Amino acid sequence: MTCAIGYFDGVHLGHRALLTGADVALTFATHPLETLAPERAPRLLMSHEDRLAALRASGVSDVVVLDFTADFAALAPADFVRDYLLPRGVTGVRCGANWNFGAKGAGRPETLAGFGIAAEIVPYAEYKGDAVSSTRIRAALSHGAIADANAMLGSTWFVRGELFTGKGLGRKIGFPTLNFHIPSYYVKPPNGVYVVRYAGARGIANWGVAPTMGTEKWPEPVLEIHFTETMPSSFGDDRIEILDFIRPERTFASLDALKEQIRRDIAFLSAHK
């Protein structure tokens, strides 16, 4: 049995190269850095549930989820192989050339040979001449480079949020919105205006605090979606797909200036179908 091992945040093009040909994906309930160095643990590209669903959709026959505890992190490479790979009948591991495992990353692909396990070195997927990685995708999103992030993911980045009733301010100025609280574990792109798709309908979304509203601005960033054609009639699929970045959020001198900018944002959306 061949397996691929990793956290697989985003299940991006590089991960899919590892998963192709693997029988099992071995992953973790939490990001390893949450145990090893919590202060450096990254915000994530997807929820735990969506990550597992994407792994299962990759074609592997099984997904094994391990708890990355302090005791697990302290396992010597040999103990990891003996306790977690050999009992599962693993005969091959698909990995990158710089993959490591065990306490302090002491285990290398060549370590596996001593246990009769073949390390299948998989070339890194590349985008614009550099290796695709979750870290690189997070950096792209944090700078609003949505097209680059989606290209490296091999799919459209999406988030899920809690729909809530807002203050009705968008409706008052002629641009009604659906409002979402987005969980803080997601990567945070810049406050700004985006092209999104929700429940099959495209719209423009402000991800931020709506500073032009003065004392009525949001205390924390909110995702507000205005649909330029028809409001979705069904919310069965609650993924909010982030398609493109239009502009940074800013404070306008008046509501009329804000409304004029929103009309320009809608024109951008119409021109980029």
Side-chain angles (χ1 to χ4, degrees):
M1 181 180 71
T2 300
C3 75
I5 304 171
Y7 185 70
F8 300 113
D9 188 25
V11 192
H12 54 63
L13 292 179
H15 294 146
R16 292 182 216 175
L18 292 176
L19 293 161
T20 299
D23 302 300
V24 173
L26 192 154
T27 190
F28 309 110
T30 56
H31 194 286
L33 283 177
E34 290 189 25
T35 296
L36 298 172
E39 72 283 358
R40 294 195 289 113
R43 291 193 176 196
L44 302 175
L45 297 170
M46 53 176 36
S47 70
H48 175 69
E49 294 76 16
D50 284 323
R51 180 167 55 89
L52 297 187
L55 287 171
R56 294 186 181 106
S58 72
V60 296
S61 59
D62 194 17
V63 177
V64 176
V65 182
L66 303 177
D67 291 325
F68 200 100
T69 63
D71 287 341
F72 180 86
L75 282 174
D79 291 330
F80 171 75
V81 174
R82 293 192 187 101
D83 294 349
Y84 291 92
L85 299 187
L86 295 179
R88 290 181 167 86
V90 173
T91 57
V93 172
R94 290 176 61 81
C95 59
N98 69 349
W99 176 67
N100 56 64
F101 63 96
K104 298 182 180 179
R108 303 287 299 163
E110 54 270 22
T111 307
L112 298 174
F115 298 89
I117 297 175
E120 303 177 34
I121 305 300
V122 179
Y124 291 105
E126 292 190 353
Y127 176 70
K128 294 185 176 180
D130 290 316
V132 172
S133 69
S134 299
T135 299
R136 190 177 171 203
I137 295 170
R138 293 184 199 112
L141 291 172
S142 70
H143 290 91
I146 305 302
D148 288 335
N150 288 342
M152 289 186 281
L153 284 167
S155 59
T156 304
W157 183 54
F158 67 89
V159 297
R160 300 185 194 270
E162 178 188 357
L163 180 63
F164 71 98
T165 301
K167 304 170 185 176
L169 298 178
R171 187 174 301 279
K172 287 180 182 178
I173 64 173
F175 300 100
T177 62
L178 290 182
N179 310 305
F180 296 86
H181 289 302
I182 306 300
S184 61
Y185 59 74
Y186 282 112
V187 173
K188 177 63 174 70
N191 285 4
V193 178
Y194 295 81
V195 179
V196 303
R197 182 166 50 231
Y198 175 68
R202 292 198 338 147
I204 59 168
N206 189 75
W207 196 336
V209 298
T212 304
M213 296 304 173
T215 58
E216 294 191 272
K217 70 181 181 180
W218 301 113
E220 299 291 338
V222 165
L223 187 64
E224 304 173 88
I225 306 175
H226 171 69
F227 297 94
T228 56
E229 296 175 352
T230 57
M231 187 79 76
S233 58
S234 173
F235 303 139
D237 183 354
D238 63 350
R239 293 181 300 171
I240 304 168
E241 297 177 277
I242 312 300
L243 305 178
D244 205 352
F245 178 70
I246 300 178
R247 62 174 176 86
E249 183 179 55
R250 64 188 181 91
T251 305
F252 292 88
S254 66
L255 288 180
D256 284 341
L258 171 61
K259 289 190 285 186
E260 178 56 33
Q261 180 59 62
I262 294 174
R263 284 189 281 269
R264 288 196 289 269
D265 296 336
I266 293 171
F268 177 96
L269 173 65
S270 300
H272 291 77
K273 288 188 175 180

